[in-house]
């Protein structure tokens, strides 16, 4: 049995339940994953309160990292014992759990140099940053970017990346303390 946060109706935090759930064996294209760390994202509140409609009952959380415990038929991208991370949206709900079944396709193997805690905290932000920095526009040294929420999760990664690329970063923040944090990161 695994422990998981589940909810059966939308609402505030009071709708969340801490439960024991049976996990079972992975089916075709799935793995059983033991979580080592779970990412907390503001979007999780949108699932819980109904802003993002989902079928009920459901689990909560879209981002985590852990160790593959078992693989289902046809899984070739990860093996038992691999440390992995994932982020997503509806197809990955259920991260707030100690163990779960999940499609293998969105899993990203972790190098030894990245802890599960770091991966769970920044996979979504890192992939968003990579998309912005490498797929939207072909930045060249000397280009300027305007970065809103420069002290947020994505902002801090993008600012550091932009600095490495030789870009000029103009950042917006909501307080002096956030301005200092953003400056410290590029």
């Amino acid at each position: 049995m695994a422990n998981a946060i589940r909810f059966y109706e939308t609402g505030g935090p009071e709708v969340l339940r801490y439960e024991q759930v049976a996990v079972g064996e992975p089916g075709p294209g799935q793995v059983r994953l033991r979580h080592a760390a779970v990412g907390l994202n503001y979007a999780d509140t949108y699932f819980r309160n109904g802003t993002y409609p989902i079928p009920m009952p459901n689990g909560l959380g879209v981002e985590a990292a852990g160790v593959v415990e078992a693989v289902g038929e046809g899984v070739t991208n990860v093996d038992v014992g691999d440390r992995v991370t994932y982020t997503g949206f509806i197809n990955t709900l259920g991260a707030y759990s100690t163990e779960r079944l999940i499609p293998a396709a969105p899993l990203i193997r972790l190098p030894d140099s990245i802890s599960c805690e770091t991966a769970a905290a920044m996979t979504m932000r890192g992939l968003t940053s990579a998309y912005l920095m490498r797929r939207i526009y072909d930045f060249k040294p000397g280009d300027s970017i305007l970065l809103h929420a420069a002290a947020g999760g994505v902002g801090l990664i993008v600012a550091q990346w932009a600095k490495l690329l030789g870009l000029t970063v103009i950042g917006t923040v909501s307080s002096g303390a956030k301005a200092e944090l953003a400056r410290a990161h590029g």
Side-chain angles (χ1 to χ4, degrees):
M1 298 293 281
N3 295 315
I5 300 294
R6 309 261 312 147
F7 61 115
Y8 295 79
E9 62 183 322
T10 58
E14 70 279 355
V15 302
L16 300 176
R17 297 183 189 177
Y18 183 70
E19 300 180 339
Q20 286 197 325
V21 295
V23 177
E25 293 301 314
Q30 291 183 319
V31 304
R32 187 175 67 238
L33 182 63
R34 178 178 38 84
H35 286 144
V38 175
L40 305 177
N41 293 287
Y42 193 77
D44 297 334
T45 64
Y46 291 155
F47 290 110
R48 187 202 68 224
N49 71 21
T51 300
Y52 297 157
I54 56 173
M56 293 291 163
N58 217 312
L60 196 60
V62 296
E63 183 171 35
V67 178
V68 175
E69 298 278 302
V71 298
E73 182 183 331
V75 173
T76 59
N77 61 317
V78 295
D79 294 312
V80 172
D82 283 350
R83 292 176 340 104
V84 297
T85 187
Y86 66 90
T87 188
F89 225 59
I90 293 173
N91 68 327
T92 59
L93 276 172
Y96 292 14
S97 60
T98 55
E99 193 173 332
R100 68 172 304 184
L101 297 178
I102 187 170
L107 299 178
I108 302 165
R109 276 193 253 161
L110 290 174
D112 291 339
S113 61
I114 299 177
S115 71
C116 285
E117 293 80 6
T118 297
M122 67 181 294
T123 297
M124 183 180 295
R125 287 145 205 85
L127 290 174
T128 300
S129 298
Y131 177 77
L132 293 171
M133 296 302 293
R134 287 298 191 212
R135 302 225 176 156
I136 297 293
Y137 181 77
D138 186 20
F139 292 106
K140 305 282 187 257
D143 286 348
S144 296
I145 63 170
L146 173 61
L147 184 58
H148 292 293
V154 171
L156 293 174
I157 295 171
V158 168
Q160 292 173 79
W161 199 332
K163 184 176 182 180
L164 289 171
L165 293 176
L167 307 182
T168 299
V169 178
I170 303 164
T172 65
V173 294
S174 61
S175 71
K178 288 182 179 181
E180 288 305 312
L181 180 63
R183 279 189 200 102
H185 289 85

